[in-house]
Amino acid sequence: MLKTVHIAILLIAACAIPISASGQKHQKSGKTQATTARNAAAPVGTAYATRPEALQFANDLAERRDLDREWVRQAIGQARFLPQVPRLMLPAPKGQAKNWRVYRSRFIDPVRIRAGLRFWQDNTEALARAESEFGVPAEIIVGIIGVETIYGQQMGNFRVMDALATLAFDFPAAHPRAAERTAFFQRELEQFLSLTHRTNVDPFEPRGSYAGAMGLGQFMPSSWVRHAIDFDGDGRVDLFNSPADAIGSVANYFIAHGWKPGLPTHYSVQFDADPARVQLDELLAPDILPTFSAASMQAKGAVLDAAAAQHAGPLALVELQNGGDAPSYVAGTENFYAVTRYNWSSYYAMAVIELGREVAAARAR
């Protein structure tokens, strides 16, 4: 993820260590036993207590959110710079050809399909209920959780506090959108600290991705706050240990990001046999944003099947490059675009869709 989550919210209550026993004000002096143990196991790296701008951010955050100032300063000050994280955020070198077939092979393989089948079998009721209540097909939810974490097998081992602090204060300047992404991760750090403070959870306990995403569906803190729900009815939200909560939360996320129940994600597309009639540059100009009617797409040289030709909503021509071979194309609907709101990539969206279909096919056999 970055990849880019209001019902009951309780962050990782089952596995978290409270900062204070009372759940009210946090201690302002002295070290608790939990803090001492935490520091002993802290990763090697510079603590942000040495960074004046980080502590000023803590002061401002505490005032904005009406949080205990010393608690926020202690949390940010004890966070550690992770030198590998900024490197992981840099885009691939220019000139490196994208390859859909290679990308697909990373996510659609026998191991992931078997794990997806077990996940579906174990969570049949929750998936069916999410599909009924939200209109998001079970196979889309299964595809998301499979691509993100192999159904909980790989949820990330970075301390979320360290990852978010690193990206909030040391996002790589070489990134083409460094200022925008720095602001994004500062907001995510604020959401994370506000959430853990409110739910009395030790912010150094949660583990996640190098970008700070958490749980089976890899929700960023803001997505957890906005879209995570208690779908198993136990009175708390746990996206780490409750597959039902993760399933309901993924479905809720999609509805909030424009998913339209009953709409396909994409159609097949070909091109006119006369290259002179194909206006490929114009068709690709809007990228994956659905912009064209079926008629206008066909007028620009796209050849749609019968179902796509009758599609009433907007479509986008989605190009998937295959290295040195000819690209693959599909006509993406608003639901294809909704899948890309989880991760801004047409390759990601197609991997989610195809993994879900493969698991559904395995289930039907």
Side-chain angles (χ1 to χ4, degrees), residues 30-52:
K31 291 185 177 180
T32 64
Q33 186 175 7
T35 300
T36 302
R38 183 174 66 221
N39 288 345
V44 175
T46 304
Y48 280 97
T50 64
R51 299 279 292 276

Side-chain angles (χ1 to χ4, degrees), residues 12-362:
I12 327 160
C15 63
I17 300 173
I19 290 180
S20 69
S22 67
Q24 302 299 319
K25 287 292 182 179
H26 299 268
Q27 294 182 358
K28 295 187 178 183
S29 63
K31 291 185 177 180
T32 64
Q33 186 175 7
T35 300
T36 302
R38 183 174 66 221
N39 288 345
V44 175
T46 304
Y48 280 97
T50 64
R51 299 279 292 276
E53 73 275 20
L55 296 181
Q56 183 58 54
F57 177 87
N59 294 341
D60 296 341
L61 188 162
E63 183 174 358
R64 279 195 304 272
R65 294 277 180 163
D66 192 26
L67 303 180
D68 183 89
R69 180 175 177 272
E70 291 307 313
W71 179 86
V72 178
R73 284 175 62 89
Q74 182 185 56
I76 289 180
Q78 290 180 356
R80 299 278 177 159
F81 171 67
L82 302 179
Q84 69 273 43
V85 166
R87 294 194 293 269
L88 291 168
M89 297 303 297
L90 290 172
K94 290 184 178 180
Q96 185 172 326
K98 295 181 180 179
N99 193 317
W100 160 238
R101 296 191 187 99
V102 172
Y103 186 95
R104 184 187 190 280
S105 69
R106 291 170 50 198
F107 298 103
I108 296 135
D109 61 13
V111 171
R112 208 173 295 243
I113 292 169
R114 285 195 299 269
L117 181 58
R118 289 193 300 271
F119 181 84
W120 200 326
Q121 291 169 338
D122 291 343
N123 298 283
T124 301
E125 186 276 334
L127 286 162
R129 184 157 55 91
E131 184 166 343
S132 175
E133 293 183 13
F134 294 96
V136 180
E139 66 184 55
I140 293 293
I141 301 171
V142 168
I144 284 285
I145 296 175
V147 166
E148 289 290 342
T149 64
I150 318 182
Y151 308 100
Q153 294 180 35
Q154 296 179 359
M155 291 189 286
N157 200 35
F158 291 86
R159 293 198 312 188
V160 172
M161 186 67 209
D162 294 330
L164 291 176
T166 296
L167 293 170
F169 306 119
D170 289 290
F171 194 87
H175 193 285
R177 297 163 57 207
E180 178 186 345
R181 300 305 288 166
T182 294
F184 168 79
F185 283 108
Q186 289 182 353
R187 291 193 298 270
E188 292 298 325
L189 176 59
E190 179 167 341
Q191 289 276 14
F192 179 70
L193 283 172
S194 178
L195 179 58
T196 54
H197 186 280
R198 186 167 65 250
T199 54
N200 195 33
V201 167
D202 183 345
F204 289 89
E205 188 67 20
R207 297 302 198 265
S209 76
Y210 64 84
M214 300 175 286
L216 280 87
Q218 293 290 275
F219 273 26
M220 293 298 290
S222 61
S223 293
W224 191 304
V225 169
R226 295 179 187 131
H227 307 301
I229 62 173
D230 171 20
F231 203 57
D232 62 11
D234 69 352
R236 59 193 181 92
V237 174
D238 184 355
L239 303 187
F240 286 83
N241 303 298
S242 171
D245 284 1
I247 287 164
S249 298
V250 169
N252 191 43
Y253 181 96
F254 272 116
I255 290 300
H257 287 80
W259 182 270
K260 297 184 181 303
L263 192 72
T265 56
H266 64 284
Y267 303 100
S268 62
V269 60
Q270 305 295 324
F271 296 103
D272 194 290
D274 181 0
R277 298 188 60 187
V278 180
Q279 301 172 40
L280 189 60
D281 288 346
E282 291 186 29
L283 286 167
L284 291 174
D287 198 15
I288 55 178
L289 179 67
T291 303
F292 303 103
S293 66
S296 65
M297 209 171 194
Q298 292 179 106
K300 295 181 183 298
V303 177
L304 304 177
D305 61 24
Q310 297 298 315
H311 183 78
L315 296 168
L317 182 65
V318 177
E319 180 183 73
L320 301 167
Q321 298 175 17
N322 290 306
D325 296 333
S328 302
Y329 295 94
V330 298
T333 70
E334 290 165 288
N335 277 356
F336 187 93
Y337 188 74
V339 179
T340 69
R341 298 312 85 192
Y342 211 98
N343 183 312
W344 291 60
S345 164
S346 55
Y347 297 80
Y348 172 90
M350 189 59 73
V352 165
I353 293 163
E354 295 204 359
L355 175 60
R357 286 183 176 178
E358 291 288 341
V359 175

